[in-house]
Amino acid sequence: MLDVKLFFLQTETIKLLSLSYHKSMFMESYEIKTVVHKMRTEELTDEAQRWMALATAAATKAYAPYSHFHVGAVAALSDGTVVTGNNQENAACPSGLCAERVALFSAGAAYPDTAVKALTLVAVKDGVVQDTISPCGACRQVLLETERRQRRPIMIMLCGKSEVRTIDSAEQLLPEPFY
């Protein structure tokens, strides 16, 4: 039996999500916590604002004829290089790719020895930046494997029209990864 309890503690800049899993009375119980930092878009550093602008521009070039939901991503590398990606849909679903994986795979192919320090996401629909979105499960797995391969965390920056949420590590987005 799996009992999931959600507790939300909202402050001006931090949202704490606590998941308690109780598998059975004979198994070990443990708690998983994710800290999400929240801020207004105007509070971003110049570098983070640049990443958001590049992700927004990438989103406008996405190929999304089915969902009309355009997502852009920026993989910011440790040497200052930025690699953009956007979602690429395909009629033979699930043959398309999410923006996160396009950016991460492109960065890995072009700069295999340079660590990704941050991944920025922006969604655009009908030319308007949407509320924050979160990576799908497949993208979370790729983020986590990228983190583990490079042996350093990737900050994930989820940008919306007026709010930005950051997570310090992909490990917090996928506490029970596939190995």
Side-chain angles (χ1 to χ4, degrees):
M1 183 170 136
L2 179 64
D3 176 30
V4 179
K5 298 175 183 173
L6 297 175
F7 304 95
F8 295 93
L9 173 63
Q10 185 89 28
T11 67
E12 193 170 343
T13 59
I14 297 178
K15 176 181 175 183
L16 176 64
L17 170 65
S18 175
L19 300 174
S20 297
Y21 293 91
H22 302 282
K23 294 187 178 181
S24 85
M25 69 174 147
F26 302 110
M27 298 178 111
E28 179 181 345
S29 296
Y30 53 95
E31 187 171 284
I32 300 168
K33 293 185 180 186
T34 300
V35 177
V36 179
H37 308 278
K38 292 172 54 175
M39 67 191 80
R40 294 185 315 274
T41 53
E42 58 270 9
E43 294 177 307
L44 291 172
T45 65
D46 291 342
E47 181 179 48
Q49 286 180 7
R50 179 172 162 257
W51 297 339
M52 183 176 174
L54 290 168
T56 303
T60 65
K61 299 173 188 168
Y63 179 68
Y66 308 105
S67 70
H68 306 288
F69 195 73
H70 299 78
V71 180
V74 167
L77 308 186
S78 60
D79 67 356
T81 302
V82 293
V83 178
T84 61
N86 49 39
N87 57 316
Q88 299 294 310
E89 294 180 352
N90 190 285
C93 189
S95 297
L97 279 177
C98 298
E100 300 94 307
R101 285 182 279 157
V102 171
L104 289 169
F105 292 156
S106 295
Y111 308 96
D113 298 323
T114 308
V116 177
K117 71 176 184 179
L119 184 79
T120 302
L121 289 178
V122 176
V124 175
K125 187 163 183 153
D126 298 324
V128 177
V129 173
Q130 300 297 294
D131 289 333
T132 58
I133 59 166
S134 188
C136 73
C139 289
R140 290 173 189 224
Q141 181 71 34
V142 170
L143 274 160
L144 185 60
E145 286 194 35
T146 303
E147 260 189 9
R148 290 193 172 162
R149 186 174 63 244
Q150 67 187 24
R151 293 185 179 98
R152 72 185 273 183
I154 298 171
M155 186 215 24
I156 297 114
M157 194 167 85
L158 311 172
C159 300
K161 56 187 167 193
S162 60
E163 178 182 86
V164 175
R165 297 177 184 179
T166 63
I167 297 104
D168 295 331
S169 169
E171 195 168 65
Q172 293 185 0
L173 284 177
L174 189 64
E176 296 289 331
F178 179 79
Y179 293 106

